[in-house]
Amino acid sequence: MGNKWKILIIWNLKNHTLRFSDLQKKMHGVNSNTLTSHLRELETRKIISRVVFPEVPPRVEYSLTEYGNALFPVFDEIRIWGIHYLECEGMEMKIC
């Protein structure tokens, strides 16, 4: 995964199919080149799917693949670990 943008792309596509512009609006601060680069990499890794509709202007939609959706249990475990870690901050970890 490697960086915040890829995780945010995946998170924003959870239960949604989005066009490039809609995805960019949800991801404040990402520029077009960065978003395009990360979308291409995630598509190459089969985490997202890209559908191009033969229209003028062309419409492109992104969604998660089954493989991409399989990441959410991992994200949930990381979230649970993070909550536990924050509750234990300042204490000895063996007490938690």
Side-chain angles (χ1 to χ4, degrees):
M1 301 313 274
N3 67 53
K4 69 178 180 179
W5 294 124
K6 288 178 188 161
I7 292 172
L8 286 172
I9 290 168
I10 293 166
W11 186 260
N12 280 299
L13 290 175
K14 182 180 183 181
N15 303 319
H16 296 92
T17 297
L18 295 172
R19 295 176 71 173
F20 183 91
S21 60
D22 297 327
L23 188 55
Q24 189 173 24
K25 287 175 190 172
K26 289 180 172 284
M27 298 177 54
H28 307 286
V30 67
N31 67 47
S32 297
N33 291 337
T34 300
L35 181 56
T36 298
S37 170
H38 291 311
L39 286 168
R40 286 182 182 152
E41 185 175 342
L42 291 169
E43 182 184 7
T44 299
R45 293 176 183 254
K46 309 285 190 227
I47 294 171
I48 65 169
S49 66
R50 177 179 181 262
V51 177
V52 180
F53 295 90
E55 302 172 352
V56 178
R59 178 171 48 114
V60 180
E61 293 183 345
Y62 297 92
S63 60
L64 289 176
T65 62
E66 187 175 326
Y67 184 58
N69 277 310
L71 290 168
F72 285 96
V74 176
F75 290 168
D76 288 339
E77 289 299 318
I78 292 170
R79 182 185 59 81
I80 290 166
W81 176 85
I83 290 167
H84 180 75
Y85 177 79
L86 288 174
E87 289 171 353
C88 293
E89 195 172 88
M91 296 184 215
E92 289 185 38
M93 291 304 286
K94 60 186 171 188
I95 294 172
C96 295

